[in-house]
Amino acid sequence: MKRFVVTLRCADRPGIVRATSTAIVALDGNILENDQFTDPVTGQFCMRTRFESETAEVDHVRSTLESELTEFTATLGVRQEDVLRRALVMVSTYDHCLAELLYRREQGDLPVDVVAVVSNHPDVEPLVTRYHVPFYEIAVTNESRAAAESELRRLLSRYQVDFVVLARYMQILSPELCRDLNGQVINIHHSFLPGFKGARPYHQAYEKGVKLIGATAHFVTADLDEGPIIDQDVVRVSHARVPSELVSLGRDVERNVLARAVKLVAEDRVALVGNRTVIFSQ
Amino acid sequence: MKRFVVTLRCADRPGIVRATSTAIVALDGNILENDQFTDPVTGQFCMRTRFESETAEVDHVRSTLESELTEFTATLGVRQEDVLRRALVMVSTYDHCLAELLYRREQGDLPVDVVAVVSNHPDVEPLVTRYHVPFYEIAVTNESRAAAESELRRLLSRYQVDFVVLARYMQILSPELCRDLNGQVINIHHSFLPGFKGARPYHQAYEKGVKLIGATAHFVTADLDEGPIIDQDVVRVSHARVPSELVSLGRDVERNVLARAVKLVAEDRVALVGNRTVIFSQ
Amino acid sequence: MKRFVVTLRCADRPGIVRATSTAIVALDGNILENDQFTDPVTGQFCMRTRFESETAEVDHVRSTLESELTEFTATLGVRQEDVLRRALVMVSTYDHCLAELLYRREQGDLPVDVVAVVSNHPDVEPLVTRYHVPFYEIAVTNESRAAAESELRRLLSRYQVDFVVLARYMQILSPELCRDLNGQVINIHHSFLPGFKGARPYHQAYEKGVKLIGATAHFVTADLDEGPIIDQDVVRVSHARVPSELVSLGRDVERNVLARAVKLVAEDRVALVGNRTVIFSQ
Amino acid sequence: MKRFVVTLRCADRPGIVRATSTAIVALDGNILENDQFTDPVTGQFCMRTRFESETAEVDHVRSTLESELTEFTATLGVRQEDVLRRALVMVSTYDHCLAELLYRREQGDLPVDVVAVVSNHPDVEPLVTRYHVPFYEIAVTNESRAAAESELRRLLSRYQVDFVVLARYMQILSPELCRDLNGQVINIHHSFLPGFKGARPYHQAYEKGVKLIGATAHFVTADLDEGPIIDQDVVRVSHARVPSELVSLGRDVERNVLARAVKLVAEDRVALVGNRTVIFSQ
């Protein structure tokens, strides 16, 4: 039995579900999961369907869906479920998010293929090597920024990367790269956005005396800390926690939120509608 | 534009979604929400679809769906969304859950028609009357239990009640009534089931020294505190909380969990699969 | 047995706890609760002690503590626990926070004396009257603002109000009043501050696509939505929730957070250190 | 500046706080944290005080406190804060809890000295060795159980172990060892106790259809899964999660709850009062 994940996006109109389900019946398929949402602001329709079939092949799934959906000019994604999506992880010196992703993948909790890790520092190489993942150090200075980005682009192409994860990567990507990889770069920001954008959010949180601190996983756009939010979480903190303790407590939230966001994207459960995400997760 | 909520249950087989969506297209309908689930244990398929149509009428919706779905021997529910489901609430002397339900309904947060309140005590009558809901006192003693239940059955019939809410009702319903109203009676139990069944759960929780206390909304079966769980929640408590404080903190959890469960049932978002519930809620 | 709540604030120095506990022994007192905190930024020491004594009287408690603590130039608060603190509640037309406070007080869950309710609209009068609390309508227009505030000050004085609760009161207090009542006015803001200051926070949250919405109870300062935070909480929301549903979900968070904050203040569990609060709550 | 952590337990009587604070003043100490609690059921008084002093030595701290507290027959604990408590961790084949503890310790988030790891399987040795912690394999069969326990006792003595952590250790300790190490063995149970004691709790939870699953860290007693609870937490799960997914989600709760419990014990923040714990944590 093969399993397929189909994602679909188009302007909302009657008949889409019938067309899709007709195609799946034609593929001898049985639907396992089906989620859909119509955005009331944009009128955009999004759908994610997971089905199984003994006979279907991925190309045939795609062509069958396309022919049933011709009238809807839909954006279609088709993936055989056991062909994992390919992620490249970028990191600087804080390794807690990277360690979490690698550990969960090894445990079988994160269905993603981590094809390479890139860092602007050498520190995390031993951790990465231990998990038998290729490691690339690409130093970034003001002078080398353009060259570094070219090297990154070569790796993205060479490893056929589906999406990039910034796991506490402290360098900013150029607006061009942000645009080219729109919806394909996940970042973890160590605050409950939109509160505490920018630097040293835990110190900002301490100054402000908030009673909950948080972390936000979001898609990267050229507009810093403003991209579409994928997931967020918070943890209660008391007045007695000094900034260094907030950093420590925040680390736990960061790694959990990022791991959840990467899992959602790896399973094709995240759709983009304007500046907001739709999360298909029962 | 009229809106309809359709629920469907049958053994899982390919083609159900296509049949349903074909019927909705035939009704000039556009799907607003669509949730489905196939239980891996029983092979039971459940679906909830919300759609809008300018021209459809409820009887026509039902007959169109039935003719498309003949081969599936499905259990079908069809409701025009603005025809609210009818609930009868039962209560003893603790009024916090009742007050919460009446308040939320008045605020427009709970789409249900509370057609009557029944109590074995007169205490809550002023509260009920203030909200212009009919109140019935039905005293229950060991001798009067059968007569009381007959009177309750008359009210259920007279008010065409869709479901009953036990909002801290301290009497036990007979096994016959539990069976006849299977899946139609919601109870709130003041513990995080299956922990602390039976009497005085907060005192049990205190003895045990738990760090979280909770409440559970579940369907009533003849098997006390064992029916299918609809919703649960917990709140963190410290060692310093004595049982009377646990009761006070627990009240907040109880009324919130019960209100959420009643909303889910009122919106046809709860399906029963064996002893477990399926919750359709994005 | 009488119970007393003592609060103390001074610059941190060795010997304060010994001095306080010596005074309590002299009063034949037994300590029931004792919390303290030294702020590492300001060096401010705060303490809250609850003790019982058969023989002590409130004036004697105060004088005994003062004589033991002379060398520390401390700010001292002494209250017999069953003499409730006196609160005046201000509200506009949304009544969910007010209803929650009045309901909890009646249930015995909120140890505060609500001495009066003031509104710039007549709408909530029936609710207030039902709980036998004096109601005052003080309309506020640009012209009448100064007169309205004078009337409010007369009520604060007449009712010997300890603190004011803005339970979704939509008018702004003058900077002078904010200053005079520093640390004595609690507001509920319907967002997770510092995110979404200002108007229509739920619509801002929707635009931004956040995955958690929240509410913040804080002390009012002349700097709008910037005063010291007392309590905050959040609730998870999905992409499918439209702003009106966020408003409805947010109402639950608002009333719970405000009720908790009022309880903390009513029990003298909140100390102010700079722009941050210290919460003494086991 | 040296820092000391003092714990104290005795029957509640007036004067304890004065005696303790008098001793600390005599030691030129300044109190940094002070928590206390009197159990209303047993009348037991517990206290934890953290203070700093330039001149004090640990032996002198102890003797000064003892002489001030003679009349209270108190159980006293005195530790210089930078002398970490010594823990031995036991584990079988699931390594997520062990990995979490070792990782947090390395990050500086867990102030404990992990002196050795013992397992009845060889699987986790590479993980342990990577963190430069001594590893001991002690196989356990029905025949070797007594010998295995003797070997464990030798290690406890040799490494001067303060407490033992069962990080998903699947063997049962003998009643004698449980008694001898009363209050010194922390276990993580993969359910929200007292629900789902015994084997395969996630499968039990699935059968029961609970909406939240959890984990419980508790002290081990001879009475299986019944010892005093240190910490608990839960995570929301939907009907769509099959048991293997509950296991995966539960792993996250287990490792976080166990890590928090170990931190609390390592910082002397847990006191035992009958079958309940008192947690001193601001």
Side-chain angles (χ1 to χ4, degrees), chain B residues 124-146:
Chain B
V124 302
E125 179 162 15
L127 169 66
V128 176
T129 310
R130 193 194 307 148
Y131 284 99
H132 312 296
V133 172
F135 174 80
Y136 296 88
E137 186 185 342
I138 306 184
V140 179
T141 61
N142 280 337
E143 294 72 41
S144 73
R145 198 170 300 272

Side-chain angles (χ1 to χ4, degrees), chain B residues 72-131:
Chain B
F72 298 100
T73 52
T75 304
L76 199 65
V78 178
R79 181 168 64 86
Q80 193 169 325
E81 197 176 34
D82 55 9
V83 179
L84 298 183
R85 299 197 71 197
R86 301 168 66 80
L88 180 144
V89 181
M90 300 185 77
V91 63
S92 292
T93 52
Y94 299 124
D95 71 357
H96 55 286
C97 288
L98 173 65
E100 186 73 23
L101 295 175
L102 293 173
Y103 181 76
R104 289 197 184 207
R105 193 200 55 153
E106 193 189 55
Q107 289 275 314
D109 289 346
L110 196 57
V112 71
D113 195 354
V114 178
V115 293
V117 171
V118 169
S119 179
N120 57 332
H121 290 281
D123 308 28
V124 302
E125 179 162 15
L127 169 66
V128 176
T129 310
R130 193 194 307 148
Y131 284 99

